[in-house]
Amino acid sequence: MVSWSESGSFFYDIAVVSTTRVLVADNENKTLRLVDSQNGGVVAKVSLTAKPFRLCAIRDRRAVVTFPTEKRIQFIRIAGDTLSLDRYVDLNGSVVGIAACDNHLVVSYEHPCRVKKITMEGKVTHELTNQTPGKELFKFPRFIAISESKHIFISDSGTNTITQLDETLQVVQTITSPLMKSVTGIVSVNTTQLLVSGWNSHNILVLDTTTGSLTTLLGQAEKIHNPGAVAWCPDSKTLYICPTHTLVKTITKFKCLS
């Protein structure tokens, strides 16, 4: 377990930088922290211009953070154990979720809901809009994961679904399960599996992307409660669970999956 204390923190997302470093977005304090995942110490932090919502690590020791209220994304440079602000890109919409795919980003929006694939400079290459009223694909498409096969997965706590898209943002399938209530964080762990957190079902699920089936990995026995954002370190086979929308200031990590 990795933990540290700071008054009034609201952790919204987490991303793995290396086997010993994770980034954590603190929405309330408008900061991004670089944390030692071995002892829980904060080794660096940078103040942001707005409240961060989601983040992802990208190539060249950088990360990118979404600012829904500012309708922009902010790039962050990571040099050793230092963080600094890089450029930002205006996206003309309330951007929430974000994930990296090769030289592109996949971003999701609310008000109205839609998904876009963009270049690192913000140019739109593909777009998926919501469906007609009453048949919406999304309500709160706030987390995005991209598998090794380049398929894109959007979790939605409003519809309790995971929507799978191909590289051109065409819908492949929509997945739901009684095991999954208020689905939040989602992360790819290998070619056929994703890990999914159920905020109201208090569990971490394994999604088989070939069959669409969901099974419970962690739950009440492991004291899982309101799990939010999740991150995966493939080298150490470690899962990080970040509480969201609570004043709990603890990042929990599990060694799991062979």
Side-chain angles (χ1 to χ4, degrees), residues 160-173:
N160 286 317
T161 60
I162 297 170
T163 301
Q164 180 180 352
L165 312 174
D166 66 15
E167 290 185 79
T168 63
L169 304 189
Q170 297 298 305
V171 176
V172 176
Q173 64 175 329

Side-chain angles (χ1 to χ4, degrees), residues 24-242:
V24 181
D26 182 350
N27 179 273
E28 186 65 21
N29 292 302
K30 298 182 183 178
T31 59
L32 193 66
R33 291 170 175 73
L34 186 63
V35 177
D36 185 327
S37 59
Q38 307 302 307
N39 60 36
V42 177
V43 298
K45 66 179 181 179
V46 63
S47 296
L48 304 171
T49 58
K51 292 186 174 183
F53 199 75
R54 302 289 174 241
L55 68 93
C56 71
I58 57 177
R59 67 183 191 278
D60 301 330
R61 296 285 291 178
R62 290 189 299 163
V64 60
V65 184
T66 65
F67 294 150
T69 57
E70 300 294 315
K71 301 180 180 180
R72 65 174 51 167
I73 56 175
Q74 172 75 59
F75 287 85
I76 306 293
R77 288 198 176 276
I78 308 166
D81 279 343
T82 63
L83 301 174
S84 60
L85 299 181
D86 197 356
R87 62 189 176 89
Y88 66 82
V89 177
D90 289 317
L91 291 183
N92 191 31
S94 183
V95 58
V96 284
I98 192 164
C101 182
D102 295 330
N103 295 323
H104 290 75
L105 298 169
V106 177
V107 291
S108 59
Y109 296 77
E110 294 179 348
H111 319 302
C113 293
R114 58 197 188 279
V115 178
K116 294 182 181 181
K117 190 173 184 179
I118 63 174
T119 66
M120 294 293 175
E121 291 70 39
K123 180 181 179 181
V124 178
T125 59
H126 299 88
E127 181 173 359
L128 173 64
T129 58
N130 226 5
Q131 300 299 307
T132 56
K135 297 181 180 180
E136 292 90 354
L137 278 172
F138 308 113
K139 289 185 179 179
F140 303 114
R142 295 177 176 176
F143 287 91
I144 305 173
I146 301 176
S147 69
E148 293 179 5
S149 60
K150 311 304 181 187
H151 277 192
I152 299 157
F153 296 83
I154 314 288
S155 71
D156 194 306
S157 59
T159 60
N160 286 317
T161 60
I162 297 170
T163 301
Q164 180 180 352
L165 312 174
D166 66 15
E167 290 185 79
T168 63
L169 304 189
Q170 297 298 305
V171 176
V172 176
Q173 64 175 329
T174 300
I175 301 162
T176 187
S177 169
L179 294 174
M180 185 172 61
K181 297 177 182 178
S182 191
V183 58
T184 49
I186 183 170
V187 64
S188 176
V189 297
N190 55 43
T191 56
T192 61
Q193 292 179 315
L194 279 77
L195 297 182
V196 180
S197 60
W199 199 82
N200 279 340
S201 48
H202 310 295
N203 55 12
I204 302 295
L205 305 171
V206 181
L207 169 62
D208 186 323
T209 61
T210 60
T211 65
S213 64
L214 285 154
T215 56
T216 301
L217 175 67
L218 303 170
Q220 291 183 350
E222 292 77 22
K223 298 181 180 180
I224 301 299
H225 185 73
N226 294 135
V230 289
W232 174 253
C233 180
D235 294 329
S236 63
K237 299 292 188 295
T238 302
L239 170 67
Y240 297 90
I241 304 173
C242 175

